[in-house]
Short mmCIF file of all heavy atoms in Angstrom, two decimals:
data_model
loop_
_atom_site.label_atom_id
_atom_site.label_comp_id
_atom_site.label_asym_id
_atom_site.label_seq_id
_atom_site.Cartn_x
_atom_site.Cartn_y
_atom_site.Cartn_z
N VAL A 1 2.32 -21.60 36.67
CA VAL A 1 1.14 -22.47 36.56
C VAL A 1 0.79 -22.70 35.09
O VAL A 1 0.50 -23.83 34.66
CB VAL A 1 -0.06 -21.84 37.30
CG1 VAL A 1 -1.35 -22.62 36.98
CG2 VAL A 1 0.19 -21.84 38.80
N CYS A 2 0.86 -21.64 34.28
CA CYS A 2 0.53 -21.77 32.86
C CYS A 2 1.54 -22.65 32.12
O CYS A 2 1.17 -23.48 31.29
CB CYS A 2 0.47 -20.39 32.21
SG CYS A 2 -0.92 -19.38 32.74
N VAL A 3 2.83 -22.47 32.43
CA VAL A 3 3.86 -23.27 31.77
C VAL A 3 3.72 -24.74 32.11
O VAL A 3 3.91 -25.63 31.26
CB VAL A 3 5.26 -22.76 32.16
CG1 VAL A 3 6.34 -23.74 31.73
CG2 VAL A 3 5.52 -21.39 31.52
N LEU A 4 3.37 -25.05 33.36
CA LEU A 4 3.25 -26.44 33.79
C LEU A 4 1.94 -27.08 33.38
O LEU A 4 1.87 -28.30 33.18
CB LEU A 4 3.41 -26.52 35.31
CG LEU A 4 4.79 -26.13 35.87
CD1 LEU A 4 4.77 -26.22 37.39
CD2 LEU A 4 5.88 -27.03 35.30
N SER A 5 0.89 -26.29 33.24
CA SER A 5 -0.43 -26.87 33.00
C SER A 5 -0.90 -26.76 31.55
O SER A 5 -1.54 -27.69 31.02
CB SER A 5 -1.47 -26.23 33.92
OG SER A 5 -1.54 -24.83 33.68
N ILE A 6 -0.64 -25.66 30.89
CA ILE A 6 -1.16 -25.47 29.53
C ILE A 6 -0.04 -25.02 28.57
O ILE A 6 -0.18 -24.01 27.87
CB ILE A 6 -2.32 -24.46 29.51
CG1 ILE A 6 -1.89 -23.14 30.20
CG2 ILE A 6 -3.54 -25.02 30.17
CD1 ILE A 6 -2.91 -22.01 30.03
N PRO A 7 1.06 -25.75 28.51
CA PRO A 7 2.15 -25.33 27.61
C PRO A 7 1.73 -25.33 26.15
O PRO A 7 2.20 -24.51 25.36
CB PRO A 7 3.25 -26.35 27.88
CG PRO A 7 2.55 -27.54 28.43
CD PRO A 7 1.40 -26.99 29.23
N HIS A 8 0.83 -26.27 25.76
CA HIS A 8 0.39 -26.35 24.37
C HIS A 8 -0.42 -25.11 23.98
O HIS A 8 -0.39 -24.67 22.83
CB HIS A 8 -0.45 -27.61 24.15
CG HIS A 8 -1.63 -27.72 25.05
ND1 HIS A 8 -1.53 -28.07 26.39
CD2 HIS A 8 -2.96 -27.50 24.81
CE1 HIS A 8 -2.73 -28.08 26.94
NE2 HIS A 8 -3.61 -27.73 26.00
N VAL A 9 -1.15 -24.53 24.93
CA VAL A 9 -1.91 -23.31 24.67
C VAL A 9 -0.97 -22.13 24.49
O VAL A 9 -1.17 -21.27 23.62
CB VAL A 9 -2.93 -23.03 25.80
CG1 VAL A 9 -3.65 -21.70 25.57
CG2 VAL A 9 -3.94 -24.17 25.90
N LEU A 10 0.07 -22.06 25.33
CA LEU A 10 1.04 -20.97 25.22
C LEU A 10 1.75 -20.99 23.87
O LEU A 10 2.08 -19.94 23.31
CB LEU A 10 2.08 -21.07 26.35
CG LEU A 10 1.55 -20.91 27.78
CD1 LEU A 10 2.69 -21.05 28.78
CD2 LEU A 10 0.86 -19.57 27.96
N ASN A 11 1.94 -22.21 23.34
CA ASN A 11 2.60 -22.33 22.04
C ASN A 11 1.73 -21.80 20.89
O ASN A 11 2.23 -21.54 19.80
CB ASN A 11 2.96 -23.79 21.75
CG ASN A 11 4.12 -24.26 22.61
OD1 ASN A 11 4.97 -23.46 23.01
ND2 ASN A 11 4.16 -25.55 22.90
N LEU A 12 0.43 -21.64 21.16
CA LEU A 12 -0.48 -21.13 20.12
C LEU A 12 -0.47 -19.62 20.03
O LEU A 12 -1.02 -19.06 19.08
CB LEU A 12 -1.91 -21.62 20.40
CG LEU A 12 -2.13 -23.14 20.37
CD1 LEU A 12 -3.57 -23.48 20.75
CD2 LEU A 12 -1.80 -23.71 18.99
N ILE A 13 0.13 -18.94 21.01
CA ILE A 13 0.18 -17.47 20.99
C ILE A 13 1.10 -17.01 19.87
O ILE A 13 2.27 -17.39 19.85
CB ILE A 13 0.68 -16.92 22.35
CG1 ILE A 13 -0.27 -17.34 23.47
CG2 ILE A 13 0.79 -15.38 22.30
CD1 ILE A 13 0.21 -16.92 24.86
N PRO A 14 0.62 -16.22 18.93
CA PRO A 14 1.48 -15.77 17.81
C PRO A 14 2.62 -14.89 18.32
O PRO A 14 2.42 -14.02 19.17
CB PRO A 14 0.52 -14.95 16.93
CG PRO A 14 -0.86 -15.36 17.35
CD PRO A 14 -0.76 -15.72 18.80
N LYS A 15 3.81 -15.16 17.82
CA LYS A 15 4.95 -14.36 18.22
C LYS A 15 4.81 -12.91 17.76
O LYS A 15 5.36 -11.99 18.38
CB LYS A 15 6.23 -14.96 17.65
CG LYS A 15 6.59 -16.32 18.26
CD LYS A 15 7.90 -16.84 17.71
CE LYS A 15 8.25 -18.18 18.35
NZ LYS A 15 9.53 -18.72 17.81
N SER A 16 4.06 -12.69 16.69
CA SER A 16 3.85 -11.33 16.21
C SER A 16 3.09 -10.48 17.22
O SER A 16 3.35 -9.28 17.35
CB SER A 16 3.11 -11.35 14.88
OG SER A 16 1.87 -12.03 15.02
N SER A 17 2.15 -11.11 17.95
CA SER A 17 1.41 -10.36 18.97
C SER A 17 2.32 -9.98 20.14
O SER A 17 2.22 -8.88 20.68
CB SER A 17 0.22 -11.19 19.47
OG SER A 17 0.67 -12.37 20.12
N LEU A 18 3.22 -10.90 20.49
CA LEU A 18 4.19 -10.58 21.55
C LEU A 18 5.14 -9.48 21.09
O LEU A 18 5.50 -8.59 21.86
CB LEU A 18 4.98 -11.83 21.92
CG LEU A 18 4.18 -13.00 22.50
CD1 LEU A 18 5.10 -14.20 22.75
CD2 LEU A 18 3.48 -12.60 23.78
N ALA A 19 5.52 -9.54 19.81
CA ALA A 19 6.39 -8.50 19.27
C ALA A 19 5.69 -7.14 19.28
O ALA A 19 6.31 -6.11 19.57
CB ALA A 19 6.82 -8.86 17.85
N GLY A 20 4.40 -7.14 18.98
CA GLY A 20 3.63 -5.89 19.02
C GLY A 20 3.60 -5.28 20.40
O GLY A 20 3.73 -4.05 20.55
N ILE A 21 3.45 -6.13 21.42
CA ILE A 21 3.45 -5.63 22.80
C ILE A 21 4.80 -5.01 23.14
O ILE A 21 4.89 -3.94 23.75
CB ILE A 21 3.12 -6.78 23.78
CG1 ILE A 21 1.69 -7.27 23.55
CG2 ILE A 21 3.30 -6.32 25.22
CD1 ILE A 21 1.33 -8.50 24.36
N LEU A 22 5.87 -5.69 22.73
CA LEU A 22 7.22 -5.17 22.99
C LEU A 22 7.44 -3.83 22.29
O LEU A 22 8.06 -2.92 22.86
CB LEU A 22 8.27 -6.18 22.53
CG LEU A 22 8.38 -7.47 23.35
CD1 LEU A 22 9.38 -8.42 22.69
CD2 LEU A 22 8.82 -7.17 24.77
N ILE A 23 6.94 -3.71 21.07
CA ILE A 23 7.10 -2.46 20.33
C ILE A 23 6.38 -1.30 21.03
O ILE A 23 6.92 -0.20 21.18
CB ILE A 23 6.59 -2.61 18.88
CG1 ILE A 23 7.52 -3.55 18.10
CG2 ILE A 23 6.51 -1.26 18.19
CD1 ILE A 23 7.00 -3.91 16.72
N ILE A 24 5.16 -1.57 21.49
CA ILE A 24 4.38 -0.52 22.17
C ILE A 24 5.08 -0.10 23.47
O ILE A 24 5.22 1.09 23.76
CB ILE A 24 2.95 -1.02 22.48
CG1 ILE A 24 2.18 -1.23 21.18
CG2 ILE A 24 2.22 -0.03 23.38
CD1 ILE A 24 2.00 0.03 20.35
N VAL A 25 5.50 -1.09 24.26
CA VAL A 25 6.18 -0.78 25.52
C VAL A 25 7.49 -0.04 25.25
O VAL A 25 7.83 0.94 25.92
CB VAL A 25 6.44 -2.07 26.33
CG1 VAL A 25 7.30 -1.76 27.55
CG2 VAL A 25 5.12 -2.70 26.76
N GLY A 26 8.24 -0.51 24.25
CA GLY A 26 9.49 0.15 23.90
C GLY A 26 9.28 1.59 23.47
O GLY A 26 10.06 2.48 23.81
N TYR A 27 8.21 1.84 22.70
CA TYR A 27 7.92 3.20 22.26
C TYR A 27 7.61 4.10 23.44
O TYR A 27 8.04 5.26 23.49
CB TYR A 27 6.74 3.18 21.28
CG TYR A 27 6.30 4.57 20.86
CD1 TYR A 27 7.01 5.27 19.90
CD2 TYR A 27 5.19 5.17 21.45
CE1 TYR A 27 6.62 6.56 19.52
CE2 TYR A 27 4.79 6.45 21.09
CZ TYR A 27 5.51 7.14 20.13
OH TYR A 27 5.13 8.41 19.78
N LYS A 28 6.85 3.57 24.41
CA LYS A 28 6.51 4.39 25.57
C LYS A 28 7.74 4.74 26.40
O LYS A 28 7.82 5.79 27.02
CB LYS A 28 5.49 3.65 26.44
CG LYS A 28 4.10 3.56 25.81
CD LYS A 28 3.11 2.88 26.74
CE LYS A 28 1.73 2.84 26.12
NZ LYS A 28 0.75 2.17 27.01
N LEU A 29 8.72 3.82 26.41
CA LEU A 29 9.94 4.06 27.19
C LEU A 29 10.93 4.93 26.43
O LEU A 29 11.79 5.57 27.04
CB LEU A 29 10.58 2.73 27.56
CG LEU A 29 9.81 1.85 28.54
CD1 LEU A 29 10.48 0.49 28.67
CD2 LEU A 29 9.71 2.52 29.90
N ALA A 30 10.87 4.93 25.11
CA ALA A 30 11.83 5.70 24.30
C ALA A 30 11.10 6.51 23.23
O ALA A 30 11.47 6.50 22.06
CB ALA A 30 12.85 4.76 23.66
N LYS A 31 10.07 7.22 23.63
CA LYS A 31 9.31 8.03 22.69
C LYS A 31 10.10 9.28 22.29
O LYS A 31 11.04 9.69 22.99
CB LYS A 31 7.96 8.41 23.29
CG LYS A 31 8.02 9.02 24.67
CD LYS A 31 6.63 9.14 25.25
CE LYS A 31 6.69 9.66 26.69
NZ LYS A 31 5.36 9.72 27.30
N PRO A 32 9.76 9.90 21.17
CA PRO A 32 10.52 11.07 20.68
C PRO A 32 10.65 12.19 21.70
O PRO A 32 11.65 12.93 21.69
CB PRO A 32 9.68 11.53 19.47
CG PRO A 32 9.01 10.28 18.99
CD PRO A 32 8.72 9.48 20.22
#
């Protein structure tokens, strides 16, 4: 629904914030 209706809004999401989410999730899955 978001891709079809508000693609311009999705393009405003900073890639750095998505990268931060990936880093946090990755750390939880591969913590020391």
